[in-house]
Short mmCIF file of all heavy atoms in Angstrom, two decimals:
data_model
loop_
_atom_site.label_atom_id
_atom_site.label_comp_id
_atom_site.label_asym_id
_atom_site.label_seq_id
_atom_site.Cartn_x
_atom_site.Cartn_y
_atom_site.Cartn_z
N THR Q 42 111.60 99.09 108.37
CA THR Q 42 112.39 99.54 109.50
C THR Q 42 111.51 100.40 110.41
O THR Q 42 110.43 100.92 110.11
CB THR Q 42 113.58 100.31 109.08
OG1 THR Q 42 114.31 100.62 110.21
CG2 THR Q 42 113.26 101.59 108.34
N LEU Q 43 111.91 100.52 111.73
CA LEU Q 43 111.22 101.51 112.73
C LEU Q 43 111.71 102.92 112.35
O LEU Q 43 110.91 103.79 112.38
CB LEU Q 43 111.53 101.07 114.06
CG LEU Q 43 110.78 101.72 115.15
CD1 LEU Q 43 109.22 101.38 115.01
CD2 LEU Q 43 111.18 101.44 116.60
N ASP Q 44 112.95 103.04 112.07
CA ASP Q 44 113.52 104.38 111.83
C ASP Q 44 114.45 104.32 110.70
O ASP Q 44 115.07 103.22 110.32
CB ASP Q 44 114.45 104.84 113.04
CG ASP Q 44 113.68 104.85 114.40
OD1 ASP Q 44 112.91 105.73 114.60
OD2 ASP Q 44 113.86 103.85 115.16
N THR Q 45 114.58 105.35 109.95
CA THR Q 45 115.56 105.50 108.80
C THR Q 45 116.78 106.22 109.22
O THR Q 45 116.80 107.49 109.26
CB THR Q 45 114.81 106.17 107.62
OG1 THR Q 45 113.62 105.50 107.31
CG2 THR Q 45 115.74 106.03 106.36
N LEU Q 46 117.82 105.52 109.53
CA LEU Q 46 119.19 106.07 109.71
C LEU Q 46 120.13 105.79 108.64
O LEU Q 46 119.78 105.08 107.64
CB LEU Q 46 119.73 105.45 111.08
CG LEU Q 46 118.75 105.51 112.34
CD1 LEU Q 46 119.45 104.94 113.51
CD2 LEU Q 46 118.46 107.04 112.59
N THR Q 48 122.69 103.95 108.68
CA THR Q 48 122.98 102.56 108.62
C THR Q 48 121.85 101.75 108.02
O THR Q 48 122.10 100.71 107.44
CB THR Q 48 123.18 102.03 110.10
OG1 THR Q 48 122.12 102.52 110.98
CG2 THR Q 48 124.48 102.48 110.65
N VAL Q 49 120.71 102.17 108.15
CA VAL Q 49 119.56 101.53 107.46
C VAL Q 49 119.56 101.74 105.97
O VAL Q 49 119.30 100.83 105.21
CB VAL Q 49 118.25 102.09 108.06
CG1 VAL Q 49 117.07 101.52 107.30
CG2 VAL Q 49 118.04 101.77 109.51
N HIS Q 65 108.71 105.55 111.66
CA HIS Q 65 108.94 106.96 111.93
C HIS Q 65 109.43 107.76 110.73
O HIS Q 65 110.21 107.20 109.97
CB HIS Q 65 110.03 107.16 113.06
CG HIS Q 65 109.53 106.64 114.40
ND1 HIS Q 65 110.32 105.83 115.15
CD2 HIS Q 65 108.46 106.89 115.07
CE1 HIS Q 65 109.68 105.56 116.22
NE2 HIS Q 65 108.51 106.23 116.30
N TYR Q 80 122.14 114.31 111.04
CA TYR Q 80 121.81 112.90 110.63
C TYR Q 80 120.67 112.95 109.68
O TYR Q 80 120.57 112.07 108.76
CB TYR Q 80 121.60 111.96 111.90
CG TYR Q 80 120.24 112.06 112.40
CD1 TYR Q 80 119.22 111.05 112.14
CD2 TYR Q 80 119.88 113.00 113.41
CE1 TYR Q 80 117.98 111.15 112.72
CE2 TYR Q 80 118.64 113.05 113.99
CZ TYR Q 80 117.74 112.09 113.64
OH TYR Q 80 116.51 112.17 114.28
N ASP Q 307 107.48 106.95 127.38
CA ASP Q 307 107.87 108.39 127.51
C ASP Q 307 107.03 109.04 128.63
O ASP Q 307 106.75 110.29 128.44
CB ASP Q 307 107.75 109.02 126.25
CG ASP Q 307 108.53 108.54 125.12
OD1 ASP Q 307 109.45 107.78 125.43
OD2 ASP Q 307 108.27 108.86 123.93
N ILE Q 325 107.33 101.13 129.18
CA ILE Q 325 108.35 100.16 128.71
C ILE Q 325 109.38 100.61 127.76
O ILE Q 325 110.22 99.90 127.32
CB ILE Q 325 107.47 98.98 128.11
CG1 ILE Q 325 106.80 99.41 126.80
CG2 ILE Q 325 106.52 98.37 129.07
CD1 ILE Q 325 106.17 98.26 126.00
N GLY Q 326 109.42 101.95 127.49
CA GLY Q 326 110.34 102.51 126.47
C GLY Q 326 109.67 102.78 125.15
O GLY Q 326 108.91 101.83 124.68
N HIS Q 327 110.03 103.74 124.45
CA HIS Q 327 109.50 104.18 123.22
C HIS Q 327 109.84 103.03 122.05
O HIS Q 327 108.87 102.51 121.42
CB HIS Q 327 110.03 105.43 122.78
CG HIS Q 327 109.27 106.16 121.67
ND1 HIS Q 327 108.61 107.38 121.83
CD2 HIS Q 327 108.95 105.72 120.41
CE1 HIS Q 327 107.99 107.60 120.73
NE2 HIS Q 327 108.18 106.70 119.78
N TYR Q 328 111.09 102.79 121.92
CA TYR Q 328 111.48 101.81 120.96
C TYR Q 328 110.90 100.48 121.24
O TYR Q 328 110.29 99.75 120.28
CB TYR Q 328 113.07 101.71 120.93
CG TYR Q 328 113.50 100.56 120.06
CD1 TYR Q 328 113.79 100.78 118.67
CD2 TYR Q 328 113.74 99.28 120.54
CE1 TYR Q 328 114.27 99.81 117.82
CE2 TYR Q 328 114.19 98.19 119.71
CZ TYR Q 328 114.45 98.53 118.36
OH TYR Q 328 114.95 97.53 117.54
N GLU Q 329 110.86 100.06 122.53
CA GLU Q 329 110.40 98.79 122.89
C GLU Q 329 108.92 98.68 122.58
O GLU Q 329 108.48 97.52 122.26
CB GLU Q 329 110.64 98.55 124.39
CG GLU Q 329 112.11 98.23 124.71
CD GLU Q 329 112.90 99.51 124.80
OE1 GLU Q 329 112.42 100.67 124.65
OE2 GLU Q 329 114.21 99.38 124.93
N SER Q 330 108.07 99.71 122.76
CA SER Q 330 106.76 99.61 122.51
C SER Q 330 106.34 99.51 121.02
O SER Q 330 105.24 99.04 120.71
CB SER Q 330 105.95 100.83 123.19
OG SER Q 330 106.33 102.05 122.40
N GLU Q 331 107.24 99.97 120.21
CA GLU Q 331 106.92 99.94 118.75
C GLU Q 331 107.83 99.02 117.99
O GLU Q 331 107.74 98.91 116.76
CB GLU Q 331 107.12 101.35 118.22
CG GLU Q 331 106.18 102.38 118.84
CD GLU Q 331 106.50 103.80 118.41
OE1 GLU Q 331 107.66 104.11 117.99
OE2 GLU Q 331 105.56 104.68 118.48
N GLN Q 332 108.71 98.24 118.62
CA GLN Q 332 109.74 97.46 117.98
C GLN Q 332 109.19 96.47 116.93
O GLN Q 332 109.90 96.08 115.95
CB GLN Q 332 110.69 96.82 118.93
CG GLN Q 332 109.95 95.84 119.87
CD GLN Q 332 110.93 95.29 120.82
OE1 GLN Q 332 111.89 94.69 120.54
NE2 GLN Q 332 110.57 95.48 122.09
N THR Q 356 118.76 96.19 111.50
CA THR Q 356 119.44 97.33 112.24
C THR Q 356 118.59 97.66 113.50
O THR Q 356 117.41 97.96 113.39
CB THR Q 356 119.59 98.59 111.32
OG1 THR Q 356 120.28 98.15 110.18
CG2 THR Q 356 120.26 99.64 112.03
N ASN Q 357 119.31 97.71 114.59
CA ASN Q 357 118.60 98.15 115.87
C ASN Q 357 118.72 99.60 115.92
O ASN Q 357 119.94 100.12 116.08
CB ASN Q 357 119.32 97.40 117.14
CG ASN Q 357 118.59 97.80 118.41
OD1 ASN Q 357 117.97 98.92 118.56
ND2 ASN Q 357 118.68 97.02 119.36
N THR Q 358 117.68 100.31 115.77
CA THR Q 358 117.77 101.78 115.71
C THR Q 358 117.45 102.52 117.04
O THR Q 358 117.26 103.70 117.06
CB THR Q 358 116.74 102.31 114.69
OG1 THR Q 358 115.45 101.89 115.01
CG2 THR Q 358 117.10 101.76 113.25
N ASN Q 359 117.40 101.70 118.13
CA ASN Q 359 116.98 102.26 119.43
C ASN Q 359 118.21 103.25 119.90
O ASN Q 359 119.36 102.75 120.11
CB ASN Q 359 116.86 101.17 120.45
CG ASN Q 359 116.29 101.72 121.79
OD1 ASN Q 359 116.07 102.94 121.94
ND2 ASN Q 359 116.11 100.78 122.70
N PRO Q 360 117.92 104.53 120.04
CA PRO Q 360 119.01 105.40 120.53
C PRO Q 360 119.26 105.39 122.03
O PRO Q 360 120.22 105.97 122.54
CB PRO Q 360 118.45 106.74 120.14
CG PRO Q 360 116.96 106.69 120.20
CD PRO Q 360 116.69 105.25 119.80
N VAL Q 361 118.47 104.62 122.79
CA VAL Q 361 118.58 104.56 124.28
C VAL Q 361 119.21 103.37 124.60
O VAL Q 361 118.88 102.20 124.12
CB VAL Q 361 117.10 104.63 124.92
CG1 VAL Q 361 117.23 104.58 126.40
CG2 VAL Q 361 116.38 105.88 124.45
N LYS Q 362 120.20 103.46 125.42
CA LYS Q 362 120.89 102.23 125.93
C LYS Q 362 120.71 102.08 127.47
O LYS Q 362 120.49 103.09 128.14
CB LYS Q 362 122.44 102.38 125.61
CG LYS Q 362 122.78 102.71 124.15
CD LYS Q 362 122.24 101.66 123.23
CE LYS Q 362 122.47 101.98 121.78
NZ LYS Q 362 121.82 100.98 120.89
N TYR Q 363 120.84 100.88 128.00
CA TYR Q 363 120.69 100.65 129.41
C TYR Q 363 121.89 100.00 130.00
O TYR Q 363 122.52 99.14 129.40
CB TYR Q 363 119.52 99.70 129.58
CG TYR Q 363 118.17 100.22 129.01
CD1 TYR Q 363 117.73 99.76 127.73
CD2 TYR Q 363 117.34 101.10 129.79
CE1 TYR Q 363 116.48 100.21 127.25
CE2 TYR Q 363 116.13 101.49 129.22
CZ TYR Q 363 115.76 101.13 128.03
OH TYR Q 363 114.55 101.57 127.48
N PHE Q 364 122.31 100.48 131.16
CA PHE Q 364 123.51 100.01 131.84
C PHE Q 364 123.14 99.07 132.97
O PHE Q 364 122.32 99.33 133.73
CB PHE Q 364 124.28 101.18 132.30
CG PHE Q 364 125.62 100.81 133.04
CD1 PHE Q 364 126.71 100.40 132.18
CD2 PHE Q 364 125.75 100.85 134.36
CE1 PHE Q 364 127.92 99.95 132.74
CE2 PHE Q 364 126.97 100.42 134.96
CZ PHE Q 364 127.99 99.98 134.16
#
Side-chain angles (χ1 to χ4, degrees):
T42 181
L43 191 65
D44 306 281
T45 306
L46 305 179
T48 50
V49 173
H65 291 128
Y80 81 97
D307 299 343
I325 65 173
H327 196 120
Y328 174 88
E329 288 78 7
S330 70
E331 297 173 338
Q332 62 185 300
T356 304
N357 184 331
T358 60
N359 190 0
V361 181
K362 307 302 176 187
Y363 301 96
F364 181 72

